[in-house]
Amino acid sequence: MTLARGRGSASEARGARFLDPGVLQRIGNLELVAQGVVEGFLHGVHASPHVGQSLDFAEHRQYVPGDDPRRVDWRVLARTDRFYLKEFEAETHANVTVILDRSRSMAFGSQEISKLDYARFLAASLAYLARLQGDRIGAVTFDSSVRDFVPCSARHLDRVLVALDRSEAEVAGELPTALTAMAERPRPRGILVLVSDLYLEPEELRRPISLLRAAGNDVLVFQVLDPAEIAFPYEEALTVEDLETGERLPITPDRMREEYGELMKDHVEGVGRVLSRSGADHVLMDTSRPLDLALARYLSARRHRGRRGRWASPS
Amino acid sequence: MGISFLTPLFLAGILAVAVPVAVHLIRSHRGTPLLFPSAMFLRRLPVRSVRRRRIENWPLLLLRVAALTLMAFAFARPVAQWGPDPEGGGGEAFREVVVVLDRSWSMGLGDRWERARRAAEEELGRLVSPDRASLVVFDASGIVAVEPTLELARLRTVLDTLAPGWGASRIGAGLQAASGILEASDRSRREVILISDFQRSGWDSGPRDPVPSGTVVTPVDVGDGPVGLVAVPEVSLQHSYLEGRQRVHPTARVMRVGEGTPSQARIVLELDGQEVESRVVDLPAQGGVAVPFEPFLLPDEGVRGLIRTDPATPLYGGRVVDPHRFTFSPREVLSVLLVEGGGTARGIHLERALTAGGDAPIRLLRRSPESLSAADLQEVNLVLVNDVPLPGGELGRVLRERVAEGVGLLVVAGAESRPESWEAAWDGFLPGRPGSVVARSPTQGGRMTQVDRDHPIFLPFADGDGRGLGAPRFFAYRDFSSPMASQGTEDRAPVDVRVRFDDGTPALVEGMAGRGRILLWNGSWSPVWTDLPLHGVFVPLAQEMTRYAAGRRDQLPARVVGQPVEARTLLEWVDPEGEASEATGLLVGPQGRGVPLTLAGGVPPVPEVPGFYELRMDDGGEGAVFAVNPDPAEMDLARVDSEEVALAVTSGSGGGASDPGGDPLVAGVGGLGDGPGASRAERERRQGAWRFLLAGVFLLLVGETLLAGRRTERPGARRMVRS
């Protein structure tokens, strides 16, 4: 017991270490990062790595000709004299696609890690976690258009990691165009995890998210921001150059900070509001915070939606 | 202590302090921009620039302003001045600058003069108040045109009025004049700016005295560039007799110097203003060619002539080459009584020398001491006693009377002259009595030295090295002493030594007795005691001495520009038997200006322009005309290295060891920091403030970097993009 606790403590410590973005930045290898993050996270929460892959009952449905008679719930038949089939969650392996925004603005970083690196770690960790659960995983990276596409497969973890690893923030982004293109491409429905800083008007998100949702996908959006983008800590007069457009603006930060903060807050809330109305989850991630929050939010959302059966039968 | 600046224009750079202020106030946000993910929110906010118009970081601004100010001061080259000196004298910190400007004839070629003037202007422009400057111009002699002054405007005014003259260049003469100024100066920093075309002839001739110790000599050579000319530097006039009338054979030497000059030229002979003959000659690429003209009969009144190129202006180099002028007067036949030992061949050289030239104007009457009679002394102009004792008794008395009346006497005191046997009456008559025999080395012998080259006898030998006067050797001669040498008595003129042997013994002594001229050669003209008769100089020397002692005037030789006109020579030529000491005249130049000429003394006039000069006697008597030509040395355009000249005049100036690490053109520098010789070190020290100022600038910029870096490193001010 003591030993087990001891091992658990060590694992926790190791997991906590790997969850620190600053430490992750120094590891470099994306697979190791994802493995460390996920295992550390799972040990930390004392959860089974096989969450979701179980024989948990999901729902009953009426027998239709062609169904396997062996799946008929004989108890229900005895009580009601009707043929119902019993379905389980394990049978609903999801297609999980991580969508990484590699636009130029993601290159920014005031801390030890840039937004793009943080987003890559986050996407890789989610993919690794999804793979542990038996989900089929795929990836899409985009800036002004789709740059890499990895279709969902149970064996595509390596390809996903490679696609994420070679992503560079070099071109200005066009999120609505990229998402719309994805929505219009026929593919199996599943879980779409969008990782982006979402520098666009919230209303511009409505249509592409709605299209993705209408295609039967569940959409989970991680909005990644640097602490400096939120707090705007600059003091002396300076010139700001927009990473996306190259536009330069002379500013006096100390006089603009408060209003900037208000605008940023309104923006984040507006994004959350639009996504919520579109049926998508919105999680704001600060690059100074560990990744476990993101994983927990993912699992929480998956469980919640899994129980509602949304993975298998989108509304 | 005061401060002046070598390049004060750089002080305008102080205006650059406005730059950091402007940057600070207006453009401070423009530096390395902050790369930010998106300006979508910032774009919506109004730009507030009020903050930018305030100084946010005073220390940083002051550092930048101070750095720029110091930099401007450093580039302006401040010069520290100790001890204010409103009068410009006595200050050790300031310079005594002498601009030495060559104005010889060759400086008028091409653009040399304009370049020289510009160079002088530039040098004056570099002076820093209260540096003192003076101007020396030179050709054959150096003249202080402007005494040391603080008024540079006056120097410039004089400079504008100057023009190249006709004289020959004597660099040493200019430096001598400059040295006079520098030696009188109380300033330790002495500089000479020597501006010249550095003709080799101007350096090889003339003095080479070193400049005062510690003087910095800066040569400015304006002699480069193509120039050339065709000129007549020399005319030879031979004469002969045709049916009792004298004929003159002129031969011109025509010289072509430099590139671009014509290969053919027409040479014209003019006599008394009329062109009488011209010849077209082919000119060699370099050097000269002799152009003989047909002989012409000499008029009784003599002739003024010239030989020139046609056209007179070679058009190359922008300078008119003046023709070569000459005068020629009829020669009188000279009657000479030669008294020498009979039956010997001792006097054969002398006899041949005096009769050389065919129809010579010397008519020789030869007598032995035994055959000499008083009658022989009546119709002669000169009695030449060659290596025999002077006659004594009645004959001696008659001879002395004839001499006192104007007959010349030339005594050659050789081995057989036996001066100890001369009667005492000669002692008060002759300029001295030859003594015992002085024997010199039978192989080396002695030489003639200290030749009085301005004496009429030696004027034909005035060019070059004396045309061989130093060559003859003298194996024996006589000792000589005279209480009257160089000083007169109540009834005698002073005795002059015209030539000495190299041990100081007088060789040729001149004296007067009444109206007669006496020359005493203190040795022999026979080959026993000397090889003089075997040398080419013997013929002209014997003839010149004979003519001079006889008091007969020869052709008045042409002179060159810058050569002083000795009044005595000229007046004696006009009236050889008269009381020259009382004669006065007026020397009138080609421009019509006259200069009084007296034997009493005074500075001999120096012809400054070529042409014919005329001596008009105050008593209305017969005058004289002589020609003055440009110095032919000026037409030799070969040049000497200007640095060589500067080194030569600075290295020998008694200062001992020169400064091994210093300026090689500083005269006699004994070591850095030692008195006047340390002018270079002092100059460096006084001008060295710029180094400290630049060091200050460096320190300020380091401070600025640190301060600016600290601001950049402040939390929240990070500007970083990771990709």
Side-chain angles (χ1 to χ4, degrees):
Chain A
M1 190 66 176
T2 306
L3 180 62
R5 186 178 294 124
R7 288 174 60 191
S9 300
S11 299
E12 283 178 34
R14 188 183 60 173
R17 178 164 59 86
F18 276 100
L19 293 176
D20 177 12
V23 176
L24 298 178
Q25 169 71 12
R26 291 191 287 273
I27 293 176
N29 187 301
L30 203 56
E31 184 173 2
L32 284 179
V33 170
Q35 184 180 353
V37 168
V38 171
E39 290 185 354
F41 166 70
L42 293 179
H43 282 287
V45 298
H46 301 282
S48 165
H50 301 287
V51 175
Q53 186 183 10
S54 67
L55 298 178
D56 288 350
F57 171 75
E59 61 183 356
H60 281 101
R61 70 174 175 84
Q62 197 165 11
Y63 176 80
V64 294
D67 285 338
D68 186 354
R70 289 176 296 179
R71 295 176 60 188
V72 172
D73 189 342
W74 299 110
R75 292 182 182 178
V76 174
L77 177 63
R79 286 201 298 268
T80 65
D81 200 20
R82 293 179 179 177
F83 289 92
Y84 280 93
L85 298 184
K86 197 175 183 178
E87 290 193 335
F88 299 91
E89 287 184 355
E91 297 171 351
T92 61
H93 294 300
N95 295 315
V96 179
T97 303
V98 288
I99 306 169
L100 177 66
D101 179 359
R102 50 181 280 184
S103 63
R104 185 86 178 96
S105 63
M106 293 292 285
F108 180 76
S110 67
Q111 308 294 318
E112 294 180 348
I113 187 168
S114 71
K115 288 196 294 182
L116 181 64
D117 288 339
Y118 189 88
R120 287 193 300 189
F121 296 160
L122 174 57
S125 300
L126 289 175
Y128 192 83
L129 180 59
R131 183 69 194 91
L132 284 181
Q133 294 179 88
D135 293 336
R136 293 180 288 274
I137 53 172
V140 173
T141 66
F142 71 94
D143 38 44
S144 60
S145 60
V146 173
R147 297 293 177 188
D148 281 306
F149 172 69
V150 181
C152 289
S153 169
R155 298 183 297 273
H156 278 180
L157 177 62
D158 290 344
R159 290 181 58 186
V160 167
L161 293 179
V162 168
L164 295 176
D165 197 30
R166 70 183 184 187
S167 298
E168 298 291 343
E170 295 170 339
V171 181
E174 194 58 51
L175 178 59
T177 304
L179 291 183
T180 302
M182 291 173 58
E184 291 172 348
R185 181 181 293 186
R187 61 164 54 89
R189 59 196 175 188
I191 304 171
L192 302 180
V193 179
L194 172 62
V195 185
S196 170
D197 52 8
L198 297 178
Y199 271 113
L200 74 173
E201 292 301 331
E203 287 302 318
E204 293 182 64
L205 276 173
R206 183 182 302 279
R207 182 171 180 273
I209 295 296
S210 296
L211 285 174
L212 291 172
R213 291 285 297 126
N217 299 299
D218 281 288
V219 180
L220 180 57
V221 178
F222 288 97
Q223 186 178 12
V224 178
L225 292 176
D226 189 274
E229 292 177 274
I230 301 170
F232 206 61
Y234 308 104
E235 292 187 355
E236 62 183 65
L238 48 83
T239 296
V240 164
E241 180 177 325
D242 190 324
L243 276 171
E244 295 280 329
T245 64
E247 178 187 8
R248 292 189 176 189
L249 291 175
I251 61 168
T252 50
D254 53 343
R255 303 290 297 269
M256 304 168 74
R257 186 177 300 113
E258 190 175 340
E259 292 168 278
Y260 173 89
E262 290 294 327
L263 288 173
M264 176 57 84
K265 180 183 175 187
D266 291 347
H267 173 72
V268 172
E269 289 177 354
V271 167
R273 199 161 40 244
V274 168
L275 291 177
S276 177
R277 285 176 187 168
S278 302
D281 281 346
H282 172 239
V283 180
L284 176 62
M285 297 299 292
D286 179 340
T287 59
S288 64
R289 302 175 64 182
L291 291 169
D292 56 348
L293 172 66
L295 300 181
R297 288 296 300 268
Y298 166 77
L299 289 181
S300 171
R302 194 182 190 285
R303 280 202 193 93
H304 175 67
R305 303 202 182 260
R307 289 195 184 97
R308 289 186 306 171
R310 295 183 66 116
W311 306 121
S313 55
S315 58
Chain B
M1 174 180 170
I3 294 289
S4 59
F5 297 93
L6 292 182
T7 51
L9 281 180
F10 275 102
L11 290 178
I14 293 178
L15 295 177
V17 300
V19 173
V21 176
V23 168
H24 219 87
L25 293 178
I26 301 170
R27 313 289 292 176
S28 60
H29 57 282
R30 287 192 180 174
T32 304
L34 171 68
L35 298 173
F36 202 67
S38 176
M40 63 182 292
F41 306 131
L42 301 174
R43 207 177 295 120
R44 298 171 191 169
L45 299 175
V47 177
R48 294 180 176 88
S49 57
V50 177
R51 184 67 184 274
R52 279 184 241 130
R53 297 197 183 101
R54 286 177 15 216
I55 302 297
E56 294 181 354
N57 194 331
W58 276 104
L60 190 61
L61 177 65
L62 291 177
L63 275 178
R64 289 171 177 168
V65 168
L68 282 173
T69 306
L70 282 186
M71 194 178 297
F73 272 93
F75 278 103
R77 299 291 303 273
V79 179
Q81 299 165 355
W82 292 276
D85 182 24
E87 299 299 324
E92 293 183 353
F94 308 115
R95 295 187 292 168
E96 181 75 67
V97 178
V98 185
V99 178
V100 181
L101 181 59
D102 184 353
R103 64 160 184 166
S104 62
W105 181 87
S106 61
M107 286 293 284
L109 294 173
D111 60 348
R112 290 179 178 180
W113 182 253
E114 185 53 35
R115 289 170 59 196
R117 228 171 47 80
R118 274 205 307 272
E121 289 274 6
E122 287 172 9
E123 294 298 337
L124 294 178
R126 291 195 184 98
L127 298 181
V128 179
S129 178
D131 286 344
R132 203 161 50 190
S134 49
L135 179 62
V136 168
V137 293
F138 72 94
D139 38 31
S141 58
I143 301 171
V144 180
V146 179
E147 295 284 350
T149 179
L150 301 173
E151 301 172 27
L152 299 184
R154 197 170 134 234
L155 272 170
R156 290 193 173 94
T157 304
V158 173
L159 197 59
D160 287 341
T161 63
L162 292 175
W166 295 92
S169 175
R170 297 286 183 271
I171 295 173
L175 291 174
Q176 264 186 345
S179 296
I181 294 174
L182 295 173
E183 282 166 358
S185 173
D186 55 356
R187 299 192 173 190
S188 59
R189 299 176 58 196
R190 303 166 183 174
E191 295 182 21
V192 168
I193 312 297
L194 177 58
I195 305 172
S196 172
D197 56 359
F198 289 96
Q199 279 180 282
R200 178 159 288 284
S201 59
W203 175 238
D204 290 342
S205 56
R208 292 192 180 191
D209 299 336
V211 294
S213 176
T215 301
V216 178
V217 177
T218 305
V220 179
D221 188 354
V222 296
D224 52 347
V227 290
L229 54 88
V230 175
V232 184
E234 187 179 358
V235 171
S236 164
L237 299 171
Q238 301 296 326
H239 66 99
S240 61
Y241 287 86
L242 179 65
E243 297 175 353
R245 296 193 62 186
Q246 198 169 1
R247 293 196 311 170
V248 179
H249 305 252
T251 301
R253 190 167 70 88
V254 182
M255 190 176 65
R256 174 189 181 198
V257 180
E259 298 175 356
T261 48
S263 60
Q264 206 171 52
R266 181 168 167 262
I267 312 299
V268 177
L269 168 66
E270 289 183 13
L271 296 177
D272 291 329
Q274 299 294 320
E275 178 178 328
V276 296
E277 188 183 355
S278 69
R279 297 208 166 194
V280 176
V281 295
D282 293 324
L283 301 172
Q286 293 289 334
V289 60
V291 182
F293 287 88
E294 290 297 325
F296 61 88
L297 287 174
L298 187 64
D300 292 340
E301 65 276 13
V303 71
R304 299 183 190 189
L306 62 86
I307 296 179
R308 60 174 171 83
T309 58
D310 185 33
T313 306
L315 302 177
Y316 198 81
R319 190 76 200 261
V320 175
V321 178
D322 212 56
H324 191 97
R325 297 174 175 84
F326 60 87
T327 58
F328 206 91
S329 302
R331 290 192 169 191
E332 301 171 20
V333 177
L334 196 63
S335 180
V336 175
L337 174 62
L338 175 60
V339 183
E340 61 179 0
T344 68
R346 187 175 298 131
I348 190 166
H349 294 90
L350 176 59
E351 185 175 339
R352 288 178 179 173
L354 295 180
T355 57
D359 295 336
I362 297 178
R363 187 173 58 223
L364 201 60
L365 180 62
R366 190 165 182 271
R367 292 285 185 271
S368 64
E370 295 78 17
S371 61
L372 181 65
S373 65
D376 296 329
L377 303 175
Q378 299 306 312
E379 301 298 329
V380 296
N381 303 110
L382 171 76
V383 177
L384 200 166
V385 182
N386 181 29
D387 205 6
V388 292
L390 283 171
E394 180 61 17
L395 196 55
R397 185 188 62 80
V398 174
L399 179 55
R400 285 192 291 273
E401 285 178 358
R402 292 292 293 137
V403 170
E405 291 168 3
V407 173
L409 176 62
L410 173 55
V411 179
V412 179
E416 304 299 328
S417 61
R418 298 197 296 275
E420 67 279 2
S421 65
W422 298 351
E423 61 184 14
W426 288 107
D427 285 341
F429 194 82
L430 296 173
R433 184 186 288 262
S436 57
V437 176
V438 177
R440 299 292 298 268
S441 161
T443 54
Q444 299 296 323
R447 309 274 177 173
M448 280 193 290
T449 58
Q450 302 183 39
V451 178
D452 183 359
R453 296 184 186 280
D454 291 327
H455 194 273
I457 293 174
F458 301 104
L459 281 181
F461 308 92
D463 295 340
D465 59 354
R467 287 187 178 173
L469 284 178
R473 292 174 297 173
F474 298 89
F475 308 107
Y477 42 81
R478 292 191 178 274
D479 193 7
F480 182 87
S481 64
S482 170
M484 297 177 290
S486 299
Q487 62 181 354
T489 60
E490 290 182 358
D491 56 347
R492 296 284 309 254
V495 173
D496 293 313
V497 178
R498 299 305 180 192
V499 183
R500 291 181 185 272
F501 295 112
D502 54 6
D503 63 353
T505 304
L508 179 63
V509 182
E510 179 184 351
M512 294 291 292
R515 296 176 62 188
R517 183 172 289 147
I518 302 173
L519 288 180
L520 176 61
W521 181 260
N522 192 31
S524 174
W525 280 353
S526 72
V528 179
W529 279 16
T530 176
D531 62 359
L532 173 63
L534 307 179
H535 285 267
V537 295
F538 180 63
V539 174
L541 183 63
Q543 290 196 5
E544 293 301 325
M545 289 172 66
T546 302
R547 288 197 183 94
Y548 178 76
R552 288 296 182 267
R553 62 187 182 185
D554 202 346
Q555 300 300 321
L556 197 55
R559 297 167 181 274
V560 296
V561 174
Q563 182 182 4
V565 177
E566 290 290 341
R568 177 175 177 175
T569 305
L570 204 55
L571 293 172
E572 286 182 350
W573 186 89
V574 170
D575 185 13
E577 296 178 358
E579 295 294 331
S581 59
E582 298 173 3
T584 58
L586 188 67
L587 185 62
V588 181
Q591 296 167 328
R593 288 182 298 183
V595 179
L597 208 61
T598 64
L599 197 59
V603 179
V606 178
E608 291 186 346
V609 295
F612 292 107
Y613 285 70
E614 185 177 356
L615 174 63
R616 300 172 185 167
M617 302 305 293
D618 290 343
D619 60 3
E622 186 185 1
V625 176
F626 62 93
V628 173
N629 292 304
D631 194 326
E634 272 301 284
M635 295 165 196
D636 180 2
L637 300 181
R639 300 171 64 237
V640 64
D641 186 2
S642 59
E643 298 293 330
E644 175 188 330
V645 173
L647 276 172
V649 298
T650 53
S651 59
S653 55
S658 63
D659 173 20
D663 190 337
L665 307 184
V666 179
V669 175
L672 295 179
D674 295 337
S679 63
R680 183 173 181 273
E682 288 177 8
R683 183 178 56 195
E684 286 296 320
R685 183 162 55 87
R686 289 174 186 129
Q687 297 177 6
W690 64 273
R691 294 190 182 90
F692 300 103
L693 292 175
L694 279 187
V697 170
F698 175 74
L699 292 176
L700 287 172
L701 289 179
V702 168
E704 190 269 350
T705 303
L706 294 176
L707 195 58
R710 258 180 44 189
R711 284 183 59 80
T712 306
E713 292 298 324
R714 284 171 55 177
R718 192 184 182 91
R719 302 179 183 191
M720 181 178 67
V721 171
R722 290 175 184 273
S723 58

